[in-house]
Amino acid sequence: MTGTRGHLRKTVLHVVSIVIGALIVVPIGFGVLGGFKDNGQLSTNPLGLPDPWVPGNYTGILGSEVFWRQLANSTLIALATVVVVVGASAMAAFVFARFAFRGREALFTLFAAGLMFPFAVAILPLFILLRSLGLLDNPLGVILPQAAFGLPVTIIILRSFFRGIPGEVEEAATLDGCGAFAFFWRILLPMARPALATVSVLAVVASWNNFMLPLVVFTDQNWWTLPVGVQAFQGQYADDTARVLAYVVLSMVPALAFYAVAERRLVAGLAGSVKG
Amino acid sequence: MTRSVTGPRPDTTAGPVRPKAPAVRRHDHRPGLRRLGTIAFFLAPALVLFLLLVIVPILVAGYTSLFKWNGFNLPEDFVGLDNFSRALGDPIFQGDLRRGLVLIVLSVVIQLPASLALALLLNQPLRGRAVYRLVFFAPYVLSEVTTAVLFTLVFSPSRGLGSTVLGWFGAAELGGSIFADPGTVLYAVFFVISWKYFGFHMILYLAGRQGIPRELTEAATTDGASGWQVFRHVTLPLLGPTIRISLFLSIIGTIQLFDMVWVLTGGGPTHASETLAVTMFQYGFRRFEVGYASAISIVMFLLSLVFALLYQRFVLRRDLEGALTTRGVQR
């Protein structure tokens, strides 16, 4: 694979990659630039650079309280979901990985089977349950169900990681007087930091993108998360394409920034969840 | 051991095939770690959350699917399986099944092979490879809602990118109506889904590809195998487990498809892009026919479950040593 043939091949690879990359980048770029146009410009010149640049759409949204509140709601709900789902999963995975007891595999299977339960199946009774518990228009009404549906994948990944920690570590800890609690808290969790980071990143992405649950739980606009807010904004300003584009772009920024920071962990998590 | 029947796969299939697991993980026999109280303490949070917010709602959906019910007070009007037979006779419901199948076939024939091809390309040494990967995978972190809103605007009739680009090919009017035309809407939805998810599948394949030892492909090349032969007889079989998982995730995802369609089209025009989950949502949260909506969600559940069980039974069994599936109780 040397000489011209290798060269040609490389060129083809680049061309294919660039074409597909363009398919991804161009719609996003259209959004970013479109946000800097006004609707007249968008109609006459949907593709080119803005002329003149109109920052008003972006500054208007950044100056409004609504966007920041939705950002804060999404952040709060994502962080709380992570704490609940990773905490509960780590404890359960600890038991599934390192304790021997009757019914362990059956219980683990029950959790693992949760992977294939469609969220949409539970949404109606969940809504009714949350209504009777008074958790509508309450962030817990989103956080807790989200965490519950996140348990399967988190437990599966953490269990396989916990299993990889050698028994000698545990024996040494026990000899030094560590009980189960101390071992879990002082040794297992610190050793599992990379795995915990990975499942946390997965949980953040899932929570950040959740739409159906916040859609039905929050009728009070003050609790809307970004996906709900974006959809409502589109409904409200249907004719103001440039403004909606700016809103979409701004709501993408936190997700893409998080991706840039956590890419490695995210990929590790996806690859890991496939291996089980 | 009564517990063993709670697993999703019947015990009869689990018993005879697999040898008993060797008792390796038995180092935890010390009494300090075996106390039931400790186990219960550590399991309780996950178990309570899972039972209360996952299992119970699904059981409740099964129960309410047997009633004609508006979602308020208690369900009283027991109708047996009427909601299910109503669904079977409902053209919208039948259409949901058909459209789901079309989306699955399109994914399997177009999206997944494209992801695989791209993953293999990016596995080659190539300058800027890391950047390509980063870009291809980026849509996965965007929510379906923002993606969908972006694409409704990309294909907006007067101000969109799509109509302009299609105009170059003499099909400008198609660009403006791609989500409004019953003949094209489903394919347009598929395009947006692929835009968002092909990078996800690509990452899975890349991870799988990197798990294949370099010696194997090198040895095949040394023995005179062509690039295609190496792919066909070495890479592809060794990627088998990854491909089967990716296929599984793609199909399960399609059965539950909601956000994207809800925002892109609301299921329209005239139900041409409606999915099971959208129909369920319409009846449950818009028309308050909660009993009927529950029946549809139970159909969704059964489809997922039956598919998952069959898939594990016949396709995945070689790959998964108890990761997703049951082996009953081994001890």
Side-chain angles (χ1 to χ4, degrees), chain B residues 49-98:
Chain B
L49 268 181
F50 192 69
L51 289 180
L52 190 67
L53 296 173
V54 179
I55 303 293
V56 167
I58 289 174
L59 294 177
V60 169
Y63 177 73
T64 54
S65 71
L66 305 175
F67 292 82
K68 188 171 190 297
W69 186 40
N70 62 8
F72 297 94
N73 303 322
L74 286 174
E76 283 172 349
D77 198 354
F78 184 82
V79 295
L81 295 178
D82 278 8
N83 285 323
F84 291 92
S85 53
R86 175 181 163 191
L88 289 179
D90 181 351
I92 299 174
F93 174 85
Q94 296 164 358
D96 291 344
L97 297 180
R98 195 182 58 242

Side-chain angles (χ1 to χ4, degrees), chain A residues 9-10 13-14 23 46-47 91 95 98-99 109 115-118 121 125 131 170 209 227 234 239 241 251 259, chain B residues 8 28 30 33 42 57 71 121 124-125 127 132 134 143 145-146 152 159 161 164 168 195 297 301 304 308 324:
Chain A
R9 193 177 159 152
K10 286 245 162 74
L13 288 186
H14 275 293
L23 267 176
L47 291 195
M91 291 169 71
V95 169
R98 307 198 79 94
F99 285 76
T109 299
L115 271 185
M116 57 201 176
F117 294 164
V121 172
R131 190 176 63 193
E170 194 176 317
N209 292 342
Q234 185 203 16
D239 293 327
T241 309
S251 74
Y259 170 55
Chain B
D28 37 19
R30 294 170 311 283
L33 281 184
F42 277 100
L121 284 186
Q124 322 244 356
R127 260 178 64 187
Y132 290 137
L134 215 63
S143 77
V145 174
T146 47
T152 52
R159 298 170 186 148
L161 164 78
T164 312
W168 300 342
W195 187 87
S297 67
F301 176 58
S304 309
L324 297 177

Side-chain angles (χ1 to χ4, degrees), chain A residues 38-250:
Chain A
D38 55 37
N39 288 308
Q41 281 190 55
L42 264 179
S43 303
T44 52
N45 173 25
L47 291 195
L49 288 175
D51 178 33
W53 291 68
V54 187
N57 293 313
Y58 287 114
T59 53
I61 292 164
L62 289 175
S64 77
E65 204 192 314
V66 178
F67 175 79
W68 295 105
R69 193 169 50 224
Q70 289 170 3
L71 184 65
N73 290 341
S74 278
T75 309
L76 167 82
I77 287 172
L79 291 181
T81 303
V82 167
V83 170
V84 176
V85 71
V86 175
S89 298
M91 291 169 71
F94 171 51
V95 169
F96 286 130
R98 307 198 79 94
F99 285 76
F101 61 97
R102 285 156 68 90
R104 181 183 72 179
E105 290 306 309
L107 258 182
F108 177 70
T109 299
L110 183 69
F111 277 107
L115 271 185
M116 57 201 176
F117 294 164
F119 182 71
V121 172
I123 189 78
L124 271 170
L126 211 45
F127 173 78
I128 292 159
L129 179 74
L130 295 171
R131 190 176 63 193
S132 59
L133 292 175
L135 288 180
L136 295 184
D137 282 326
N138 181 327
L140 282 177
V142 172
I143 293 165
L144 294 178
Q146 244 173 214
F149 274 83
L151 287 170
V153 73
T154 318
I155 289 179
I156 288 172
I157 295 177
L158 287 182
R159 166 160 118 147
S160 70
F161 190 89
F162 289 169
R163 274 188 166 170
I165 292 174
E168 289 78 31
V169 174
E170 194 176 317
E171 269 152 30
T174 314
L175 286 180
D176 289 346
C178 251
F181 297 90
F183 173 70
F184 175 72
W185 187 250
R186 307 236 306 260
I187 296 170
L188 194 70
L189 287 188
M191 283 183 81
R193 223 174 264 150
L196 294 174
T198 290
V199 292
S200 300
V201 167
L202 287 177
V204 166
V205 172
S207 166
W208 196 267
N209 292 342
N210 196 349
F211 173 63
M212 197 191 239
L213 192 62
L215 178 69
V216 303
V217 169
F218 297 138
T219 45
D220 178 357
Q221 301 193 8
N222 288 323
W223 278 116
W224 279 357
T225 56
L226 275 173
V228 181
V230 168
Q231 197 228 3
F233 196 84
Q234 185 203 16
Q236 194 180 349
Y237 295 98
D239 293 327
D240 196 346
T241 309
R243 182 132 60 145
V244 180
L245 279 177
Y247 209 95
V248 171
V249 169
L250 287 177

Side-chain angles (χ1 to χ4, degrees), chain B:
Chain B
M1 178 107 304
T2 49
R3 253 310 165 35
S4 60
V5 290
T6 55
R9 203 165 81 187
D11 266 354
T12 47
T13 62
V17 255
R18 283 214 180 73
K20 283 212 159 195
V24 273
R25 294 174 210 104
R26 291 279 187 98
H27 62 266
D28 37 19
H29 262 307
R30 294 170 311 283
L33 281 184
R34 288 195 68 204
R35 272 176 313 151
L36 221 60
T38 316
I39 294 176
F41 173 82
F42 277 100
L43 268 184
L47 207 54
V48 169
L49 268 181
F50 192 69
L51 289 180
L52 190 67
L53 296 173
V54 179
I55 303 293
V56 167
I58 289 174
L59 294 177
V60 169
Y63 177 73
T64 54
S65 71
L66 305 175
F67 292 82
K68 188 171 190 297
W69 186 40
N70 62 8
F72 297 94
N73 303 322
L74 286 174
E76 283 172 349
D77 198 354
F78 184 82
V79 295
L81 295 178
D82 278 8
N83 285 323
F84 291 92
S85 53
R86 175 181 163 191
L88 289 179
D90 181 351
I92 299 174
F93 174 85
Q94 296 164 358
D96 291 344
L97 297 180
R98 195 182 58 242
R99 286 181 287 270
L101 203 60
V102 170
L103 288 176
I104 288 173
V105 169
L106 288 174
S107 298
V108 172
V109 176
I110 299 175
Q111 187 199 349
L112 299 185
S115 311
L116 178 59
L118 206 62
L120 295 179
L121 284 186
L122 285 190
N123 192 53
Q124 322 244 356
L126 195 67
R127 260 178 64 187
R129 181 170 70 168
V131 177
Y132 290 137
R133 275 187 205 173
L134 215 63
V135 168
F136 293 161
F137 189 54
Y140 178 70
V141 297
L142 302 178
S143 77
E144 292 199 0
V145 174
T146 47
T147 308
V149 172
L150 178 67
F151 273 91
T152 52
L153 300 176
V154 162
F155 285 106
S156 108
S158 59
R159 298 170 186 148
L161 164 78
S163 38
T164 312
V165 171
L166 286 170
W168 300 342
F169 301 98
E173 66 291 348
L174 182 66
S177 65
I178 200 162
F179 290 118
D181 181 339
T184 56
V185 65
L186 198 58
Y187 303 101
V189 168
F190 170 72
F191 172 78
V192 184
I193 294 173
S194 301
W195 187 87
K196 178 160 159 51
Y197 286 106
F198 86 90
F200 167 75
H201 293 283
M202 186 196 79
I203 287 289
L204 297 188
Y205 294 137
L206 257 176
R209 177 66 184 82
Q210 279 162 1
I212 299 176
R214 182 186 293 247
E215 295 78 33
L216 287 177
T217 45
E218 274 173 4
T221 315
T222 318
D223 288 348
S226 69
W228 169 253
Q229 284 172 324
V230 173
F231 170 72
R232 175 70 191 80
H233 296 289
V234 180
T235 317
L236 198 60
L238 288 172
L239 274 179
T242 313
I243 293 174
R244 290 190 275 271
I245 287 281
S246 140
L247 200 64
F248 178 82
L249 293 176
S250 171
I251 294 177
I252 285 280
T254 307
I255 294 176
Q256 315 173 19
L257 188 63
F258 175 79
D259 297 4
M260 193 75 97
V261 172
W262 185 252
V263 179
L264 273 177
T265 68
T270 60
H271 307 294
S273 62
E274 200 159 321
T275 60
L276 279 175
V278 171
T279 310
M280 180 277 297
F281 197 87
Q282 293 274 16
Y283 279 104
F285 290 98
R286 294 291 181 265
R287 303 193 201 176
F288 301 105
E289 294 193 41
V290 174
Y292 185 52
S294 297
I296 294 173
S297 67
I298 287 302
V299 171
M300 229 184 321
F301 176 58
L302 291 178
L303 284 177
S304 309
L305 193 68
V306 168
F307 164 73
L309 293 182
L310 290 178
Y311 200 78
Q312 284 177 19
R313 179 83 177 78
F314 293 106
V315 184
L316 289 184
R317 75 181 313 167
R318 285 168 293 177
D319 305 335
L320 294 175
E321 290 297 319
L324 297 177
T325 184
T326 174
R327 289 171 286 174
V329 177
Q330 288 214 323
R331 302 185 55 252

